[in-house]
Amino acid sequence: MANKINIVQAVQQALQNEMALDPTVVVYGEDVGVEGGVFRATVGLQQEFGKERAFDTPLAESAIVGSAIGMAINGMKPVVEIQFMGFIYPAVNQIVSHAARYRNRTRGLRHLPMVIRAPYGGGIRALEHHSESTEALFAHIPGLKVVIPSTPYDTKGLLIAAIRDPDPVLFLEPKRIYRAFRQDVPEEAYTLPIGKAKVLQEGDDVTVVTWGAMVPDVQKAVSGIEELSIEVIDLRTISPMDRETIIESVEKTGRILVVHEAAKSFGAGAEIIAVVNEKAFLSLEAPPMRLTGFDTTFPLPRGEEHYIPSPERIRHKIRELAAY
Amino acid sequence: MLIEKFNPLEDEMIQVLNEEGDIIRPEWMPEISDEEVLSLFRTMQKTRAIDSIALSLQRQGRMLTYAASLGQEAAQVGSGYALKKTDWAVPAFRELGMWLTKGWSVDKILQYWYGNEWGSHTGEDLRLLPISVPISSQFQHAVGIGMSIRLKGENDVVMAYTGDGGTSQGDFHEAMNFAGVYRTPNVFVIQNNQYAISVPVVIQTASKNLAMKALAYGMPGILVDGNDLFAVLAVSQQAVAYARETGPVLIEAYTYRMGAHTTSDDPTKYRTDDEVDPWKEKDPLLRVEKYLIKKNLLKQEEIEAMKEALEEEVMEAYRSIEHSSDTEIEEIFSYHYEKMTPQLQDQLDEYRNYLKGAASDGK
Ligand SMILES: Cc1ncc(C[n+]2csc(CCOP(=O)(O)OP(=O)(O)O)c2C)c(N)n1
Ligand SMILES: [Mg+2]
């Protein structure tokens, strides 16, 4: 049975399915229980599964993540929410020093089946610190997986995969498109592979790699270019990166553009292009290009329209790359 | 001194002005003139005027997400007024009454909430830090300023604010601990408005009150009726004096968030009118109003006129920033470092070139 749902509803449904199937799954964070999350991503879970399994916590991100580590050590599968990605930083010590390392430092004795969910990204005219896209910070940390879906279907399948994954997964949700569109999604639980990109449209002239909330913008940009045959790849997992899909595509097109919302320097685009240079250098017909956020703090709303690459800018950049 | 005698473990709350507008503890009444009371009342009214205008502008789509202070005016104005001009104030994000008391201008405040960084350029000679959204992180800065005051042999005090939710952060505890160890001239104010978004204070802590947390850091903690202007002022004045002479103090101002957390929040999802209604009688403005009327310092008509005048003043301030507050492109780049890096310069140039091209393409 399918239902037509948006991304935030897909998050809720994934959690609901997994909590029903697996009694070790628990969901917690700030405003997650009674209110059902400030974005309503956990709505109804406390009613259905009780205060023991879906609950509100004190306002303390380090304790939210740190306690999830403890829960995971003792056989639970915590799925914790960080209210906005900009508020994950108090928990970075727990994420980087512990969550990412447990398996390695105990030589596999202890591993952490836990998920940290956080809405990320800007473009919603939000307050300071509410528009962060710092996926590259975490993708850089060995031992973490970083997933960013862009559709309701992928959100549900990838979140369930993340919950079932034996290792910690940072699951970043594109809040700008939380409610942008609906899709037919199976009501039952299903998984999609973490670490696998998706080719959204095939093409021969240019490869565009993107993820998260930028995916619809890239699709819009591409739909306005008739003269070129463009391959669009939704990366879906930032780390571990699906190198094969990217390489295969660049070997065909010889041209690659990476579009991301995060700041340019040292971003995930740099890693993608490095991989292309290592594995497909001889196929390149033009220098790899990036179109990204600026190397600046995300501007407050009166300046934010400049920051996120618009479909028009993306189109312009694709043409520049094709003409090179 | 109240501060030293007060035992937060007994869970009593300092009150001076009751809900009828009568002074119930004259011995604690702060020494202020009638003119000062009137002026503080006016600032509380102004706080409310800004909130009400910001909320209505927000509904019209002329303001962004906004966090109102409704119900917390006494806690903010009373504490802020205890500071000298040379003392520092370190806010969280819900201290409108204190900001006004300290001197942050209404147009700048509105400019911040309307999404322009210039709002945080609070003014050269204002010892007020900008809003701090990451909860309780600012406590550490307040302590650092306090440490530097000690090192430099200055005589200033630093007042830092957080909420009841803020007491759960590691940063809160680390800062308080530093302050205790270094005996910094800090006053920490917790506006306990009973909620952190939807989460009630019983989920933040198993302590009977928040003031008692101070004891573990080796500093006095005092619990005050946050809806009582005179009690808050009395306690804050003593706390500031104590911090200046002796060391850090924690104040818990017990109050209630009458409105939504922000304009994005719907409190009916997590609390009932039965809970909210009794707090309406504890309204901090109403109490001072009754006091002023009983003392013949103000008439009801004058209050109405004051409200109208203040709302006009606030609208005027808003109009001055409404249309002029779009961010200049260069400003997105030029304030990250003293000098723009080559990377930033390239990105700015590339973006400008794009815009020029787009303009000439007629797009
Ligand atoms: C580190 C961090 N986590 C989460 C948030 C999101 N958030 C903003 S305000 C708030 C509640 C704050 O509650 P409290 O400290 O009681 O202050 P109040 O809003 O009641 O004034 C939360 C969770 C944040 N700003 N910073
Ligand atoms: Mg609060």
Side-chain angles (χ1 to χ4, degrees):
Chain A
M1 278 269 284
N3 56 166
K4 256 196 163 10
I5 55 175
N6 62 30
I7 289 180
V8 77
Q9 290 168 325
V11 170
Q12 193 277 346
Q13 208 170 81
L15 296 170
Q16 195 274 341
N17 285 171
E18 281 305 273
M19 289 182 89
L21 291 170
D22 181 348
T24 66
V25 176
V26 289
V27 169
Y28 61 95
E30 295 156 15
D31 306 285
V32 160
V34 172
E35 189 183 18
V38 295
F39 287 104
R40 329 282 313 135
T42 55
V43 90
L45 299 179
Q46 186 168 83
Q47 284 86 330
E48 185 170 351
F49 300 104
K51 280 190 175 156
E52 307 273 288
R53 293 184 61 201
F55 55 93
D56 292 315
T57 65
L59 209 175
E61 288 77 10
S62 180
I64 290 169
V65 173
S67 66
I69 292 172
M71 285 221 187
I73 286 172
N74 197 28
M76 305 290 286
K77 290 189 187 140
V79 185
V80 294
E81 176 175 301
I82 299 294
Q83 199 161 77
F84 285 84
M85 194 182 192
F87 306 132
I88 203 170
Y89 308 119
V92 165
N93 187 31
Q94 292 295 340
I95 296 172
V96 175
S97 304
H98 289 301
R101 294 180 186 220
Y102 244 99
R103 180 187 287 278
N104 180 58
R105 52 190 283 263
T106 62
R107 285 298 180 260
L109 173 65
R110 303 202 189 285
H111 64 94
L112 305 175
M114 59 184 277
V115 179
I116 304 167
R117 298 178 34 245
Y120 88 95
I124 58 161
R125 293 168 73 71
L127 297 169
E128 273 185 297
H129 307 278
H130 287 72
S131 302
E132 312 272 302
S133 317
T134 46
E135 64 269 23
L137 281 182
F138 296 94
H140 187 67
I141 303 301
L144 289 181
K145 293 180 180 176
V146 181
V147 173
I148 304 184
S150 73
T151 64
Y153 182 82
D154 286 359
T155 297
K156 182 166 174 183
L158 285 166
L159 182 51
I160 292 176
I163 296 170
R164 296 182 188 177
D165 197 287
D167 290 309
V169 177
L170 178 61
F171 194 84
L172 299 175
E173 299 163 7
K175 65 174 176 287
R176 178 155 61 98
I177 55 168
Y178 254 164
R179 296 183 167 79
F181 58 99
R182 288 164 188 268
Q183 231 180 8
D184 270 328
V185 171
E187 279 174 34
E188 316 69 56
Y190 60 92
T191 61
L192 292 171
I194 290 175
K196 197 83 197 81
K198 185 175 176 190
V199 178
L200 298 180
Q201 91 172 41
E202 294 191 18
D204 301 319
D205 298 329
V206 172
T207 300
V208 182
V209 180
T210 191
W211 53 90
M214 293 310 300
V215 170
D217 292 333
V218 165
Q219 287 176 307
K220 200 167 161 204
V222 164
S223 73
I225 304 180
E226 255 113 63
E227 72 277 18
L228 293 170
S229 158
I230 300 164
E231 183 138 312
V232 178
I233 297 175
D234 178 354
L235 195 59
R236 299 200 293 191
T237 299
I238 309 303
S239 174
M241 189 181 288
D242 178 358
R243 297 174 302 180
E244 290 69 30
T245 300
I246 298 169
I247 299 309
E248 219 171 274
S249 176
V250 174
E251 282 172 346
K252 179 172 61 171
T253 63
R255 288 180 159 82
I256 179 168
L257 170 68
V258 183
V259 179
H260 62 63
E261 185 175 323
K264 184 172 195 176
S265 296
F266 310 97
E271 175 63 20
I272 294 170
I273 290 171
V275 166
V276 166
N277 283 333
E278 286 165 359
K279 307 269 183 195
F281 190 72
L282 298 176
S283 304
L284 286 173
E285 291 165 35
M289 291 187 183
R290 284 177 282 176
L291 183 63
T292 67
F294 308 126
D295 288 354
T296 69
T297 301
F298 197 96
L300 288 188
R302 300 304 287 271
E304 78 176 358
E305 60 173 307
H306 300 293
Y307 189 90
I308 300 177
S310 64
E312 293 72 33
R313 265 174 83 199
I314 298 168
R315 205 173 291 144
H316 183 259
K317 196 78 182 170
I318 291 172
R319 290 196 165 116
E320 182 189 326
L321 175 60
Y324 187 92
Chain B
M1 227 159 71
L2 250 178
I3 297 273
E4 279 158 305
K5 270 197 290 206
F6 188 85
N7 180 2
L9 297 177
E10 285 168 5
D11 204 28
E12 277 172 85
M13 189 162 83
I14 303 285
Q15 216 187 36
V16 174
L17 181 68
N18 71 10
E19 286 161 32
E20 307 314 316
D22 299 318
I23 304 290
I24 50 169
R25 297 299 294 263
E27 71 276 24
W28 291 342
M29 180 67 185
E31 278 178 33
I32 46 168
S33 65
D34 290 344
E35 288 68 48
E36 281 177 289
V37 179
L38 277 169
S39 146
L40 292 176
F41 178 68
R42 192 172 181 280
T43 308
M44 288 165 77
Q45 287 287 8
K46 191 164 175 176
T47 307
R48 201 160 276 190
I50 295 174
D51 275 353
S52 105
I53 285 186
L55 293 178
S56 91
L57 287 168
Q58 201 275 343
R59 281 189 292 270
Q60 299 163 32
R62 294 162 72 196
M63 179 50 66
L64 307 171
T65 307
Y66 182 81
S69 287
L70 193 71
Q72 301 178 221
E73 296 89 349
Q76 302 170 359
V77 173
S79 56
Y81 192 63
L83 296 173
K84 289 190 194 168
K85 192 169 182 332
T86 43
D87 292 331
W88 293 82
V90 180
F93 61 91
R94 199 193 300 283
E95 294 87 18
L96 178 55
M98 180 277 281
W99 306 333
L100 296 172
T101 310
K102 200 68 187 135
W104 193 8
S105 64
V106 181
D107 57 335
K108 287 277 184 184
I109 292 169
L110 291 172
Q111 195 176 29
Y112 175 82
W113 289 106
Y114 202 30
N116 187 305
E117 286 80 354
W118 277 110
S120 293
H121 187 287
T122 42
E124 300 291 348
D125 52 359
L126 214 57
R127 289 194 157 174
L128 170 71
L129 297 196
I131 280 174
S132 171
V133 172
I135 303 293
S136 284
S137 54
Q138 70 281 2
F139 259 43
Q140 314 267 23
H141 316 152
V143 171
I145 295 173
M147 292 163 76
S148 70
I149 287 170
R150 284 268 184 272
L151 287 172
K152 291 168 74 183
E154 295 168 344
N155 193 33
D156 307 317
V157 166
V158 192
M159 193 177 270
Y161 290 79
T162 195
D164 44 299
T167 64
S168 298
Q169 280 290 352
D171 275 1
F172 171 86
H173 295 276
E174 293 174 27
M176 298 282 290
N177 188 49
F178 254 54
V181 168
Y182 293 110
R183 311 301 303 155
T184 52
N186 281 107
V187 178
F188 300 105
V189 179
I190 303 167
Q191 289 194 76
N192 176 4
N193 64 3
Q194 315 302 327
Y195 281 93
I197 311 185
S198 73
V199 179
V201 69
V202 291
I203 292 181
Q204 296 300 338
T205 184
S207 297
K208 249 198 297 183
N209 62 49
L210 301 170
M212 68 167 68
K213 291 176 188 278
L215 303 184
Y217 304 106
M219 67 177 83
I222 189 159
L223 175 57
V224 62
D225 180 350
N227 287 17
D228 174 344
L229 178 69
F230 297 147
V232 173
L233 179 57
V235 164
S236 303
Q237 282 176 339
Q238 290 203 19
V240 167
Y242 182 90
R244 214 180 297 283
E245 297 308 320
T246 314
V249 192
L250 175 67
I251 298 172
E252 174 185 356
Y254 195 86
T255 179
Y256 195 80
R257 197 194 75 212
M258 295 303 291
H261 169 69
T262 66
T263 47
S264 314
D265 174 48
D266 173 10
T268 61
K269 292 207 163 75
Y270 52 83
R271 70 185 191 188
T272 59
D273 288 345
D274 285 351
E275 182 193 312
V276 181
D277 286 341
W279 282 93
K280 291 185 179 153
E281 282 144 44
K282 299 184 200 290
D283 185 287
L285 271 72
L286 201 57
R287 263 190 238 192
V288 183
E289 190 177 307
K290 285 181 181 165
Y291 169 85
L292 289 170
I293 289 176
K294 281 185 188 176
K295 273 195 92 178
N296 254 326
L297 292 168
L298 204 62
K299 294 193 195 56
Q300 195 62 49
E301 314 85 76
E302 290 173 319
I303 296 175
E304 294 313 313
M306 181 190 287
K307 277 189 200 163
E308 263 175 48
L310 286 168
E311 289 192 359
E312 189 39 48
E313 190 185 323
V314 174
M315 255 333 272
E316 196 58 43
Y318 174 75
R319 281 191 287 265
S320 77
I321 57 103
E322 178 174 21
H323 298 297
S324 60
S325 275
D326 278 342
T327 300
E328 300 286 333
I329 291 168
E330 177 151 355
E331 291 180 341
I332 294 172
F333 296 84
S334 56
Y335 286 100
H336 279 75
Y337 305 94
E338 188 184 15
K339 248 182 96 213
M340 228 189 279
T341 61
Q343 285 81 354
L344 285 168
Q345 189 64 58
D346 283 355
Q347 290 173 22
L348 173 58
D349 293 346
E350 186 181 344
Y351 184 53
R352 278 203 176 125
N353 281 338
Y354 161 76
L355 289 176
K356 230 184 279 164
S360 65
D361 288 354
K363 281 184 206 154

